[in-house]
Structure formats: structure tokens, C-alpha cells
């Protein structure tokens, strides 16, 4: 919760920090492409973390047969590194879209708009994974659509009100002075519930980019679930490899961006110093001449790594609903921190950071509660689906073994519902498609993702993103993992 809030707030606040640039002028640190690169660097640190943790675990174990088992798995894990390239590309596109959209909207609106991922995850799940939705799922989707519309409306109306009131933080425009371009491109640093000098078109563009990024992330989840769920890979290793892939791709992109005029991209992408898409020399100059920017960037990198690491560490230890509530609190905390920054008069370059409260902020709050309700209702639909599939699976196993079907009520009374000794209900930590019964194609319920105990329904994550598309991601877009733990395979074998 702490690191997740920090990453979202810093992702927006860093755009408002001012420093001395390449040509000696002072301008805001609007470097979305560099921030994307920074995110992948932070993710790649999970790779050495995995090897250190593996070395410690191996040293503690000291049992020969376990060492051999880990050695046999290692080659299998390395083989998945190649396949991680595709999810990394999805993640790269989604992160770029989010960072660009964040330029034009506030951190709170940005965080709330990410609830759109649930809509696309449900759509792709039904279309490509043959997933059936419960009534609660449809109700959650409807509430999410209403919530997103209300939040977007409140953002636009609030911005117009702030312009009329002349709110300092909403009325200031900051400029990049492009010494190499006669027609200097103006870039505005946008603030909160109203978003500064951003026009209505720019705000709609920003929100559209964020919603589009959620569609890409939902596509990433669908791809991972369909193609990569059979791999038995440690989540830290997956995130680390994805970070390495991201660094390689972003390095190539950054080289090209040094020579690509932003005007050639139709004005969609804000121009950096010199009129190009990204000027890394200017970025390094600002980092070296402005200690505050350097410190904030380092804190952001550490927060991104810590958020990924802690997000994976708690996976499986808390229920899906609890983690959903945590993500809801994160959105609320992001909004609160932004308000505190503004009314505490925290400034950079004479410009206030954070966002103000206006009469339409109440409307945004209503939209926020709609999104909270949507997430909780949708999650309940997932749990209901899992419960139905679990009962069907237990009955099928009972029939296959020649035993009388076990009723749910009798099983619960006897403690069989969650008893680890029950041969029909191993305690699982994930629900990969590889466990789905495909023998009976006529039974659609056997084609659903399921866990054999509803209490063990886990949204396997590297950064808090649920496998059912519930919005719980890092500002980079948390990456859901559909890789079963080694314990899952051991349960199946036993």
C-alpha cells in the first residue's frame, strides 16, 4: 500500500519538478519515456533478487534430492525467458500509453481510470478463453462503466471551473524552450481535479490513452493465461526477465527517439528539448544539475522494485477481496496525498504540486465509489464461479473414483471443504488453465478457470494485478502471472 501509493504519486509529481536543462534554461521534467525505461530497470532488479533468494534457500535446504530437483527446474525456467518477450512488449506499450496519458490528467483520475482494465479482461476472457461470467460480473462491469464516465466528467468540469476561478496550480503553463526549433513546442504541466492548462481535448486524449493502455494490459493477461500458464516459473524470475526485455526494447526506442521530430507523430506525443520525442542528454543534464529530481527518480526506482517484490511476497497470504480492498485504499491514498501536496503549498519552480479540491471533486468521489463497488461485486462473481466449478470438480472426481458424490454441505460439516488431507480438495495457490478438465467438451463449466477451494482463490501477481482483471497494478501496470507454484505440481502428484 505504501509503495504502491508512492509510485503513483511520484509518477505524476515528477512531471512538475523543474531543473536546469541542456541549454541552461529551467523547465519541467516531463520525461515519460525515461520513466518507462526506469520502470523496467527497477523490474530487472528482481532477477538478482531471485538468484540471491534461491542461493539462500538452497544453502538452507542442503538436501541432495531437493538440490537436484531445483537444478532440473532451472533449465526449464531459463527456457521461458524467450517467451517472456511477448508479455514484455504488451507491458511496454501499455506503460508508454499510461505515462503519456498521465501528462494530461491528475494522479487520482489516472488511478481511477485504470479500473477500465476489468472491462477488457472480461471481454477477452469470454472471447478467447471461453470464460463464462456470473451475474455479479456483469453488474460489476456496468458499475465500472458508470464510474469511469463519472470520473472523466468530473475531471473535465473541474478543470473548467478551476480555469474560471484562476486557481494558481491550474492556471500555470510551463514551457520547454526548444533552441533548435524556431517554433518552440509548448508543453504544459497539468495538475489535479482540474488539470491545469490542459484543454478539454487534451484531457479526453489523456483519459483515452489510459483506457487504451488498460485494453493492452488485458490483452497481456489473456496472452499469458493462454500461452504461458503451463510453465512452472518463479514470479520473481518472470518479472526480472520482463524487465530485461523492457530495457533492451526501450534502449533501442530511445536511440531512435533522439532523432525523431515529435511533429512527425502528429502532435500526439509531447516534444522534448530540441523538438524531438526524447532528448536523453537533456534528461541526464537535469538529473546532474538538480539534486531534487535525481533523488525523486531514485526513490521512484526503489519504490517500483519494492512494490513488485512486496506484491509478490503477499500473494497467496491474503484473500483476493483483501488485496482488492488494498488497491482501493491505494487509489484513495493517492488522491489524499495529492490534496495534501497542494494545500501544503509544496512547490517546484514556483509551481504548486498536487491537485486542488473543487465543487466537482464530490462528483469524482461518487465515481470512485462506483468503481470500488464494481471491483468488489466483480470479485464476488469470480468467487461464485470458482465455488460452482469446485463443487462440479469434486463431484466429477467422486464419480471417476467410483465413490458416491459428496455434497457440499456434508463436506463442510466434516471439515473436508478445506481439509488438506482430503483427496479431492488439495489446497492450491493458483488456478491455471492446465487444471481445467478438457475431457468433456460439452460441459462448459469444466472449461472455466477454477481453484478447488474458494478460500484459496489467489490472484497471482508480480505487482498486484489480479488474474481476473481487477485493477491492482503498479503505475507501470502490474503484471499478472499465470504460473503455478512448484507446490501446485507437488499436490497434483501426491
Amino acid at each position: 500500500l505504501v509503495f504502491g501509493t508512492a509510485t503513483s504519486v511520484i509518477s505524476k509529481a515528477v512531471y512538475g519538478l523543474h531543473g536546469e536543462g541542456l541549454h541552461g534554461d529551467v523547465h519541467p521534467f516531463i520525461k515519460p519515456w525515461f520513466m518507462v525505461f526506469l520502470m523496467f530497470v527497477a523490474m530487472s532488479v528482481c532477477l538478482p533478487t531471485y538468484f540471491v533468494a534461491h542461493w539462500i534457500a538452497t544453502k538452507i535446504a542442503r538436501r541432495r534430492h531437493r538440490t537436484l530437483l531445483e537444478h532440473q527446474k532451472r533449465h526449464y525456467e531459463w527456457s521461458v525467458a524467450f517467451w517472456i518477450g511477448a508479455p514484455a512488449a504488451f507491458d511496454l506499450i501499455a506503460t508508454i500509453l499510461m505515462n503519456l496519458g498521465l501528462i494530461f490528467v491528475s494522479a487520482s483520475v489516472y488511478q481511477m481510470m485504470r479500473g477500465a482494465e476489468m472491462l477488457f479482461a472480461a471481454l477477452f476472457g469470454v472471447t478467447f478463453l471461453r470464460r463464462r461470467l456470473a451475474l455479479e460480473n456483469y453488474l460489476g462491469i456496468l458499475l465500472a462503466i458508470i464510474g469511469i464516465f463519472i470520473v472523466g466528467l468530473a475531471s473535465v468540469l473541474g478543470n473548467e471551473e478551476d480555469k474560471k476561478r484562476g486557481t494558481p496550480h491550474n492556471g500555470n503553463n510551463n514551457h520547454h524552450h526548444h533552441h533548435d526549433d524556431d517554433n518552440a513546442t509548448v508543453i504544459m504541466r497539468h495538475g489535479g481535479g482540474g488539470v491545469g492548462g490542459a484543454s478539454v481535448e487534451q484531457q479526453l486524449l489523456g483519459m483515452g490513452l489510459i483506457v487504451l493502455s488498460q485494453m493492452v494490459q488485458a490483452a497481456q493477461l489473456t496472452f499469458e493465461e493462454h500461452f504461458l500458464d503451463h510453465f512452472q516459473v518463479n514470479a520473481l524470475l518472470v518479472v526480472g526477465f520482463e524487465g530485461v526485455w523492457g530495457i533492451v526494447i526501450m534502449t533501442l526506442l530511445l536511440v531512435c527517439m533522439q532523432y525523431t521530430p515529435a511533429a512527425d507523430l502528429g502532435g500526439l506525443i509531447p516534444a522534448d528539448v530540441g523538438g524531438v520525442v526524447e532528448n536523453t542528454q537533456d534528461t541526464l543534464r537535469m538529473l546532474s544539475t538538480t539534486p531534487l529530481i535525481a533523488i525523486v527518480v531514485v526513490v521512484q526506482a526503489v519504490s517500483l522494485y519494492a512494490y513488485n517484490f512486496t506484491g509478490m511476497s503477499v500473494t497467496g497470504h491474503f484473500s483476493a477481496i483483501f488485496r482488492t480492498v488494498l488497491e482501493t485504499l491505494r487509489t484513495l491514498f493517492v488522491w489524499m496525498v495529492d490534496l495534501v501536496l497542494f494545500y501544503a503549498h509544496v512547490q517546484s519552480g514556483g509551481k504548486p504540486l498536487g491537485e486542488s479540491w473543487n465543487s466537482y471533486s464530490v462528483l469524482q468521489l461518487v465515481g470512485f465509489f462506483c468503481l470500488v463497488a464494481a471491483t468488489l461485486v466483480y470479485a464476488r462473481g469470480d468467487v461464485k464461479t470458482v465455488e460452482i466449478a469446485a463443487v462440479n470438480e469434486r463431484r466429477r472426481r467422486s464419480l471417476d473414483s467410483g465413490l458416491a458424490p459428496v455434497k457440499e454441505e456434508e463436506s463442510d460439516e466434516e471439515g473436508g471443504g478445506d481439509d488438506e488431507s482430503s483427496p479431492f480438495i488439495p489446497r492450491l495457490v493458483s488456478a491455471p488453465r492446465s487444471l481445467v478438465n478438457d475431457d468433456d467438451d460439452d460441459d462448459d463449466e469444466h472449461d472455466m478457470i477454477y481453484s478447488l477451494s474458494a478460500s484459496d482463490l489467489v490472484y497471482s501477481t508480480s505487482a498486484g494485478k489480479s488474474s481476473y482483471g481487477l485493477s491492482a497494478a503498479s503505475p507501470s501496470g502490474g503484471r499478472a502471472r499465470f504460473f503455478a507454484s512448484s507446490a501446485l505440481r507437488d499436490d497434483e502428484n501426491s
Side-chain angles (χ1 to χ4, degrees), residues 179-465:
H179 295 265
D180 299 329
D181 189 354
D182 293 335
N183 298 318
T185 303
V186 176
I187 296 182
M188 295 170 289
R189 203 279 294 175
H190 307 292
V195 282
S199 64
V200 173
E201 291 76 13
Q202 288 173 322
Q203 291 180 73
L204 294 177
L205 172 62
M207 289 184 281
L209 290 174
I210 294 173
V211 171
L212 183 60
S213 73
Q214 299 313 292
M215 183 181 72
V216 176
Q217 284 198 327
Q220 176 190 349
L221 301 185
T222 305
F223 177 88
E224 290 178 345
E225 183 171 354
H226 187 70
F227 292 102
L228 303 178
D229 65 326
H230 61 283
F231 288 105
Q232 305 289 315
V233 185
N234 185 284
L236 273 174
L237 197 65
V238 173
V239 177
F241 279 133
E242 193 171 318
V244 172
W245 273 105
I247 290 175
V248 172
I249 298 174
M250 275 305 300
T251 299
L252 296 176
L253 287 178
L254 285 173
V255 171
C256 296
M257 290 173 186
Q258 310 301 309
Y259 307 99
T260 304
D264 292 349
L265 301 179
L268 176 64
I269 298 176
D272 202 350
V273 171
V276 295
V277 175
E278 173 75 12
N279 191 321
T280 303
Q281 285 185 313
D282 181 70
T283 301
L284 297 177
R285 173 68 177 176
M286 295 184 73
L287 290 172
S288 62
T289 59
T290 311
L292 178 60
I293 294 179
I295 292 173
V296 170
V297 166
V298 171
V299 171
Q300 175 72 335
V302 173
S303 297
L304 285 168
Y305 164 74
Y307 184 54
N308 277 274
F309 181 77
T310 55
M312 288 180 290
S313 298
V314 301
T315 296
H317 296 287
F318 299 104
S319 69
I321 298 297
F322 181 78
R323 287 191 298 278
T324 301
V325 171
L326 279 182
E327 182 59 24
T328 299
L329 289 175
R330 175 191 172 191
T331 301
L332 185 60
F333 282 9
V334 167
W335 197 1
M336 292 172 59
V337 171
D338 257 10
L339 291 172
V340 170
L341 287 174
F342 180 78
Y343 288 105
H345 304 291
V346 178
Q347 299 184 353
S348 176
K351 314 298 182 185
L353 301 179
E355 58 183 285
S356 63
W357 181 274
N358 55 58
S359 57
Y360 291 100
S361 295
V362 176
L363 184 62
Q364 183 177 339
L365 188 62
V366 172
F368 167 71
F369 282 124
C370 283
L371 290 171
V372 172
T375 303
L376 294 176
V377 171
Y378 192 95
R380 177 54 198 163
D382 285 335
V383 173
K384 182 179 179 180
T385 299
V386 168
E387 290 173 342
I388 294 174
V391 172
N392 290 336
E393 178 62 14
R394 269 185 280 178
R395 289 173 179 170
R396 183 189 66 80
R397 292 191 179 190
S398 297
L399 292 173
D400 289 345
S401 63
L403 300 177
V406 179
K407 293 183 179 180
E408 182 68 15
E409 295 79 9
E410 296 174 357
S411 176
D412 290 340
E413 290 176 0
E414 297 172 3
D418 287 321
D419 189 352
E420 293 184 20
S421 63
S422 171
F424 302 126
I425 314 174
R427 296 181 64 82
L428 305 181
V429 295
S430 60
R433 291 180 68 251
S434 57
L435 292 184
V436 175
N437 176 32
D438 293 323
D439 296 333
D440 187 1
D441 292 333
D442 295 330
D443 190 351
D444 289 338
E445 289 177 333
H446 286 170
D447 292 331
M448 289 185 283
I449 309 300
Y450 68 93
S451 168
L452 297 182
S453 174
S455 63
D456 288 323
L457 177 61
V458 170
Y459 295 76
S460 182
T461 72
S462 67
K465 179 72 58 69

